[in-house]
Amino acid sequence: MFKLDKVKGILFDYGGTIDSNGMHWAEVIWMAYEALKVPVSKAVFRDAYVHGERTLGKNPIVKPHHTFLDMLRLKSDLQIQWLKENGHLSAEAVTPELPEQLADWCYEYARKAIDSARPILEQLAERYPLVLVSNFYGNIESVLKDFGLDHLFGAIVESAVVGIRKPDPAIFRLGVDKLGFPADEIVVVGDSYDKDIVPATRIGCQTIWLKSIGWSAYKGNETADIVLSDFTEIKQVFAL
């Protein structure tokens, strides 16, 4: 049960929560593929997406100075290259501009989501200390600065920096330590049931699940202290 009167600090997830209104980023990128009429099936795209994520996870391709647009272009390049090399896209079907066009489409999507989330985060930051807990590539500070969010978080716990990735509850414990309050006085806000809500619950935090389209289909028994369908609904939760 959510107890607003006990909340003294908030841990926010970033990717999929603040920058896409709960939508898993594979779904956002797939929408870009559809918008640009890339001739591949969704199943094949998901394989390309997984290849790109694993490549970025294993290799220090993303640098600390890279913005979100830089990172999107790297992801798009990796995906399109994999699709071509594995015979899913012919050279004739791919223009040299396609990776950049995909990245630009996704960046605009993120910008709109963040423009909607920013004033809510600013109001929350006036009342509560905010800490970011994110699976990211080592460039989250550059991303936050690019989108005008860097002043809102008192601390950042980034997987590539601390060496712990969600769903390991230990990464959330680091966030709890940054806030300096008991876990039950902290609420975790995230889009991933498995990577945010489950581990946060395990360490005793309250939870707000921004539920949208995830990577996998839901089983139907997932729950959280509060379940939202849009980031703006946070205003009602905290009476902003």
Side-chain angles (χ1 to χ4, degrees):
M1 180 182 295
F2 183 69
K3 298 179 180 179
L4 178 60
D5 59 338
K6 288 193 67 174
V7 175
K8 292 184 179 178
I10 306 174
L11 296 179
F12 268 98
D13 169 58
Y14 180 73
T17 299
I18 293 172
D19 64 357
S20 66
N21 197 22
M23 186 84 70
H24 192 285
W25 262 96
E27 293 294 326
V28 176
I29 298 171
W30 172 244
M31 287 193 290
Y33 272 63
E34 290 188 304
L36 293 169
K37 297 181 171 55
V38 182
V40 296
S41 69
K42 189 173 184 179
V44 167
F45 157 74
R46 283 169 69 94
D47 287 342
Y49 177 86
V50 169
H51 164 76
E53 293 304 301
R54 288 177 177 172
T55 301
L56 292 178
K58 293 177 181 178
N59 303 283
I61 298 172
V62 177
K63 305 301 181 184
H65 68 275
H66 281 148
T67 66
F68 194 59
L69 182 57
D70 294 331
M71 194 174 70
L72 286 169
R73 287 174 175 167
L74 291 171
K75 287 175 181 267
S76 296
D77 283 336
L78 288 169
Q79 291 165 18
I80 296 301
Q81 182 180 359
W82 184 89
L83 289 167
K84 289 168 62 177
E85 290 177 351
N86 287 273
H88 298 295
L89 280 178
S90 66
E92 293 76 20
V94 180
T95 64
E97 299 80 20
L98 180 59
E100 185 171 343
Q101 291 171 338
L102 288 167
D104 289 347
W105 194 100
C106 292
Y107 184 84
E108 182 63 15
Y109 185 98
R111 187 191 62 77
K112 289 178 180 178
I114 291 168
D115 284 348
S116 178
R118 188 185 298 103
I120 298 170
L121 292 169
E122 288 174 341
Q123 291 178 69
L124 286 173
E126 292 176 358
R127 297 188 187 181
Y128 306 97
L130 309 182
V131 167
L132 201 70
V133 179
S134 179
N135 281 354
F136 225 74
Y137 308 91
N139 64 322
I140 191 68
E141 291 188 18
S142 295
V143 171
L144 294 177
K145 184 175 181 180
D146 180 39
F147 284 122
L149 300 174
D150 53 315
H151 64 294
L152 297 173
F153 299 98
I156 297 169
V157 182
E158 184 179 7
S159 61
V161 175
V162 300
I164 307 170
R165 287 183 61 82
K166 304 174 186 180
D168 189 335
I171 194 170
F172 285 102
R173 290 194 187 96
L174 292 176
V176 169
D177 291 343
K178 294 288 186 182
L179 286 172
F181 302 117
D184 64 350
E185 296 179 357
I186 294 169
V187 60
V188 171
V189 183
D191 70 295
S192 173
Y193 179 76
D194 294 328
K195 293 182 178 180
D196 296 318
I197 305 307
V198 171
T201 301
R202 283 182 60 188
I203 65 170
C205 293
Q206 300 190 63
T207 55
I208 296 176
W209 181 21
L210 181 56
K211 182 182 179 183
S212 184
I213 301 175
W215 175 254
S216 302
Y218 299 123
K219 297 176 181 178
N221 61 347
E222 298 90 349
T223 189
D225 292 315
I226 290 181
V227 181
L228 307 179
S229 60
D230 191 277
F231 194 93
T232 59
E233 294 172 9
I234 291 175
K235 296 174 67 175
Q236 283 69 52
V237 174
F238 289 95
L240 298 178

mmCIF file of all heavy atoms in Angstrom, residues 7 10 19 35 44 54 75-76 81 94 108 111 133 142 148 158 162 178 180 184 188 192 201 206 213:
data_model
loop_
_atom_site.group_PDB
_atom_site.id
_atom_site.type_symbol
_atom_site.label_atom_id
_atom_site.label_comp_id
_atom_site.label_asym_id
_atom_site.label_seq_id
_atom_site.Cartn_x
_atom_site.Cartn_y
_atom_site.Cartn_z
ATOM 1 N N VAL A 7 6.754 9.167 2.424
ATOM 2 C CA VAL A 7 7.771 9.355 1.386
ATOM 3 C C VAL A 7 8.676 10.544 1.713
ATOM 4 O O VAL A 7 8.203 11.665 1.899
ATOM 5 C CB VAL A 7 7.118 9.563 0.001
ATOM 6 C CG1 VAL A 7 8.190 9.884 -1.048
ATOM 7 C CG2 VAL A 7 6.330 8.331 -0.402
ATOM 8 N N ILE A 10 12.792 10.010 -3.595
ATOM 9 C CA ILE A 10 12.323 9.275 -4.762
ATOM 10 C C ILE A 10 13.508 8.799 -5.590
ATOM 11 O O ILE A 10 14.421 9.573 -5.891
ATOM 12 C CB ILE A 10 11.400 10.147 -5.650
ATOM 13 C CG1 ILE A 10 10.255 10.741 -4.824
ATOM 14 C CG2 ILE A 10 10.838 9.322 -6.810
ATOM 15 C CD1 ILE A 10 9.383 11.716 -5.600
ATOM 16 N N ASP A 19 12.119 9.110 -20.458
ATOM 17 C CA ASP A 19 12.337 9.509 -21.856
ATOM 18 C C ASP A 19 11.410 8.853 -22.873
ATOM 19 O O ASP A 19 11.525 9.117 -24.075
ATOM 20 C CB ASP A 19 13.796 9.256 -22.255
ATOM 21 C CG ASP A 19 14.187 7.780 -22.228
ATOM 22 O OD1 ASP A 19 13.346 6.951 -21.847
ATOM 23 O OD2 ASP A 19 15.339 7.476 -22.592
ATOM 24 N N ALA A 35 7.577 3.856 -39.366
ATOM 25 C CA ALA A 35 7.372 5.189 -39.935
ATOM 26 C C ALA A 35 8.225 5.405 -41.175
ATOM 27 O O ALA A 35 7.802 6.059 -42.138
ATOM 28 C CB ALA A 35 7.674 6.259 -38.891
ATOM 29 N N VAL A 44 12.406 -9.976 -36.777
ATOM 30 C CA VAL A 44 13.781 -9.767 -37.254
ATOM 31 C C VAL A 44 14.362 -8.507 -36.634
ATOM 32 O O VAL A 44 15.535 -8.476 -36.222
ATOM 33 C CB VAL A 44 13.806 -9.687 -38.794
ATOM 34 C CG1 VAL A 44 15.151 -9.161 -39.292
ATOM 35 C CG2 VAL A 44 13.521 -11.056 -39.397
ATOM 36 N N ARG A 54 23.577 -5.937 -27.016
ATOM 37 C CA ARG A 54 24.662 -6.780 -26.510
ATOM 38 C C ARG A 54 26.025 -6.247 -26.937
ATOM 39 O O ARG A 54 26.987 -6.279 -26.168
ATOM 40 C CB ARG A 54 24.473 -8.209 -27.000
ATOM 41 C CG ARG A 54 23.322 -8.931 -26.306
ATOM 42 C CD ARG A 54 23.107 -10.324 -26.865
ATOM 43 N NE ARG A 54 22.051 -11.020 -26.140
ATOM 44 C CZ ARG A 54 21.544 -12.193 -26.501
ATOM 45 N NH1 ARG A 54 22.001 -12.801 -27.589
ATOM 46 N NH2 ARG A 54 20.593 -12.754 -25.785
ATOM 47 N N LYS A 75 23.338 2.984 -32.110
ATOM 48 C CA LYS A 75 22.417 1.851 -32.086
ATOM 49 C C LYS A 75 21.868 1.565 -33.478
ATOM 50 O O LYS A 75 21.822 0.400 -33.916
ATOM 51 C CB LYS A 75 21.250 2.152 -31.136
ATOM 52 C CG LYS A 75 21.568 2.115 -29.661
ATOM 53 C CD LYS A 75 20.354 2.563 -28.852
ATOM 54 C CE LYS A 75 20.619 2.562 -27.367
ATOM 55 N NZ LYS A 75 20.228 1.311 -26.717
ATOM 56 N N SER A 76 21.451 2.606 -34.180
ATOM 57 C CA SER A 76 20.887 2.433 -35.520
ATOM 58 C C SER A 76 21.911 1.853 -36.476
ATOM 59 O O SER A 76 21.605 0.961 -37.279
ATOM 60 C CB SER A 76 20.368 3.772 -36.052
ATOM 61 O OG SER A 76 19.294 4.251 -35.267
ATOM 62 N N GLN A 81 23.502 -2.493 -39.857
ATOM 63 C CA GLN A 81 24.633 -3.310 -40.306
ATOM 64 C C GLN A 81 24.325 -4.793 -40.110
ATOM 65 O O GLN A 81 24.593 -5.617 -40.994
ATOM 66 C CB GLN A 81 25.897 -2.921 -39.528
ATOM 67 C CG GLN A 81 27.141 -3.702 -39.960
ATOM 68 C CD GLN A 81 28.370 -3.285 -39.172
ATOM 69 O OE1 GLN A 81 28.320 -2.410 -38.317
ATOM 70 N NE2 GLN A 81 29.488 -3.916 -39.456
ATOM 71 N N VAL A 94 18.477 0.058 -48.447
ATOM 72 C CA VAL A 94 19.000 0.911 -47.383
ATOM 73 C C VAL A 94 19.695 2.125 -47.976
ATOM 74 O O VAL A 94 20.677 1.997 -48.710
ATOM 75 C CB VAL A 94 19.999 0.130 -46.497
ATOM 76 C CG1 VAL A 94 20.527 1.033 -45.388
ATOM 77 C CG2 VAL A 94 19.339 -1.102 -45.912
ATOM 78 N N GLU A 108 13.408 12.728 -31.442
ATOM 79 C CA GLU A 108 12.257 13.618 -31.357
ATOM 80 C C GLU A 108 11.188 13.029 -30.437
ATOM 81 O O GLU A 108 10.553 13.754 -29.667
ATOM 82 C CB GLU A 108 11.675 13.863 -32.755
ATOM 83 C CG GLU A 108 10.494 14.818 -32.797
ATOM 84 C CD GLU A 108 10.828 16.232 -32.344
ATOM 85 O OE1 GLU A 108 12.029 16.577 -32.255
ATOM 86 O OE2 GLU A 108 9.889 17.005 -32.054
ATOM 87 N N ARG A 111 12.431 13.607 -26.967
ATOM 88 C CA ARG A 111 12.370 15.026 -26.597
ATOM 89 C C ARG A 111 10.957 15.411 -26.165
ATOM 90 O O ARG A 111 10.779 16.131 -25.170
ATOM 91 C CB ARG A 111 12.815 15.901 -27.773
ATOM 92 C CG ARG A 111 12.954 17.384 -27.422
ATOM 93 C CD ARG A 111 13.140 18.237 -28.656
ATOM 94 N NE ARG A 111 11.989 18.154 -29.549
ATOM 95 C CZ ARG A 111 10.826 18.790 -29.336
ATOM 96 N NH1 ARG A 111 10.674 19.536 -28.250
ATOM 97 N NH2 ARG A 111 9.839 18.675 -30.194
ATOM 98 N N VAL A 133 18.510 6.001 -10.779
ATOM 99 C CA VAL A 133 19.099 4.656 -10.779
ATOM 100 C C VAL A 133 18.824 4.049 -12.149
ATOM 101 O O VAL A 133 17.683 3.762 -12.491
ATOM 102 C CB VAL A 133 18.509 3.768 -9.669
ATOM 103 C CG1 VAL A 133 19.130 2.378 -9.717
ATOM 104 C CG2 VAL A 133 18.731 4.396 -8.299
ATOM 105 N N SER A 142 25.824 13.184 -19.659
ATOM 106 C CA SER A 142 25.739 13.955 -20.909
ATOM 107 C C SER A 142 24.314 13.976 -21.444
ATOM 108 O O SER A 142 23.854 14.995 -21.974
ATOM 109 C CB SER A 142 26.682 13.352 -21.956
ATOM 110 O OG SER A 142 28.029 13.474 -21.559
ATOM 111 N N GLY A 148 18.360 18.993 -20.425
ATOM 112 C CA GLY A 148 18.032 19.951 -19.376
ATOM 113 C C GLY A 148 17.458 19.322 -18.129
ATOM 114 O O GLY A 148 16.583 19.890 -17.465
ATOM 115 N N GLU A 158 24.579 4.765 -11.915
ATOM 116 C CA GLU A 158 24.551 4.283 -13.292
ATOM 117 C C GLU A 158 25.272 2.942 -13.379
ATOM 118 O O GLU A 158 26.398 2.800 -12.912
ATOM 119 C CB GLU A 158 25.224 5.310 -14.208
ATOM 120 C CG GLU A 158 25.179 4.956 -15.680
ATOM 121 C CD GLU A 158 25.835 6.036 -16.542
ATOM 122 O OE1 GLU A 158 26.435 6.972 -15.973
ATOM 123 O OE2 GLU A 158 25.750 5.930 -17.773
ATOM 124 N N VAL A 162 28.898 1.857 -11.674
ATOM 125 C CA VAL A 162 28.979 1.142 -10.391
ATOM 126 C C VAL A 162 29.209 -0.353 -10.561
ATOM 127 O O VAL A 162 29.509 -1.061 -9.597
ATOM 128 C CB VAL A 162 27.708 1.386 -9.542
ATOM 129 C CG1 VAL A 162 27.540 2.866 -9.262
ATOM 130 C CG2 VAL A 162 26.461 0.799 -10.219
ATOM 131 N N LYS A 178 22.240 6.694 -1.160
ATOM 132 C CA LYS A 178 22.445 8.080 -1.594
ATOM 133 C C LYS A 178 21.410 9.008 -0.966
ATOM 134 O O LYS A 178 21.727 10.147 -0.599
ATOM 135 C CB LYS A 178 22.351 8.174 -3.116
ATOM 136 C CG LYS A 178 23.452 7.464 -3.887
ATOM 137 C CD LYS A 178 24.782 8.176 -3.788
ATOM 138 C CE LYS A 178 25.816 7.529 -4.694
ATOM 139 N NZ LYS A 178 27.152 8.178 -4.571
ATOM 140 N N GLY A 180 19.703 8.353 1.888
ATOM 141 C CA GLY A 180 19.940 8.374 3.325
ATOM 142 C C GLY A 180 18.715 8.198 4.188
ATOM 143 O O GLY A 180 18.727 8.568 5.373
ATOM 144 N N ASP A 184 11.598 2.042 3.314
ATOM 145 C CA ASP A 184 10.147 2.207 3.257
ATOM 146 C C ASP A 184 9.719 3.673 3.209
ATOM 147 O O ASP A 184 8.531 3.976 3.072
ATOM 148 C CB ASP A 184 9.463 1.481 4.413
ATOM 149 C CG ASP A 184 9.829 2.038 5.781
ATOM 150 O OD1 ASP A 184 10.772 2.870 5.864
ATOM 151 O OD2 ASP A 184 9.186 1.655 6.773
ATOM 152 N N VAL A 188 10.224 4.087 -5.492
ATOM 153 C CA VAL A 188 10.913 3.854 -6.761
ATOM 154 C C VAL A 188 9.904 3.992 -7.893
ATOM 155 O O VAL A 188 8.837 3.369 -7.864
ATOM 156 C CB VAL A 188 11.551 2.454 -6.795
ATOM 157 C CG1 VAL A 188 12.075 2.131 -8.199
ATOM 158 C CG2 VAL A 188 12.683 2.368 -5.778
ATOM 159 N N SER A 192 9.845 -0.810 -15.843
ATOM 160 C CA SER A 192 10.041 -2.250 -15.973
ATOM 161 C C SER A 192 9.613 -2.969 -14.701
ATOM 162 O O SER A 192 10.184 -2.726 -13.627
ATOM 163 C CB SER A 192 11.510 -2.567 -16.276
ATOM 164 O OG SER A 192 11.731 -3.965 -16.243
ATOM 165 N N THR A 201 10.873 -3.650 -4.548
ATOM 166 C CA THR A 201 10.007 -4.234 -3.526
ATOM 167 C C THR A 201 10.804 -5.138 -2.593
ATOM 168 O O THR A 201 10.581 -5.157 -1.377
ATOM 169 C CB THR A 201 8.869 -5.034 -4.188
ATOM 170 O OG1 THR A 201 8.112 -4.163 -5.025
ATOM 171 C CG2 THR A 201 7.946 -5.651 -3.145
ATOM 172 N N GLN A 206 8.732 1.544 -1.484
ATOM 173 C CA GLN A 206 7.430 1.677 -2.114
ATOM 174 C C GLN A 206 7.656 1.761 -3.630
ATOM 175 O O GLN A 206 8.743 2.118 -4.089
ATOM 176 C CB GLN A 206 6.696 2.915 -1.598
ATOM 177 C CG GLN A 206 6.436 2.897 -0.103
ATOM 178 C CD GLN A 206 5.506 4.014 0.316
ATOM 179 O OE1 GLN A 206 4.351 4.078 -0.096
ATOM 180 N NE2 GLN A 206 6.011 4.919 1.158
ATOM 181 N N ILE A 213 3.906 -0.672 -22.900
ATOM 182 C CA ILE A 213 4.315 -1.863 -23.638
ATOM 183 C C ILE A 213 5.744 -2.216 -23.265
ATOM 184 O O ILE A 213 6.656 -1.412 -23.427
ATOM 185 C CB ILE A 213 4.216 -1.628 -25.156
ATOM 186 C CG1 ILE A 213 2.773 -1.266 -25.537
ATOM 187 C CG2 ILE A 213 4.654 -2.874 -25.916
ATOM 188 C CD1 ILE A 213 2.603 -0.896 -26.997
#
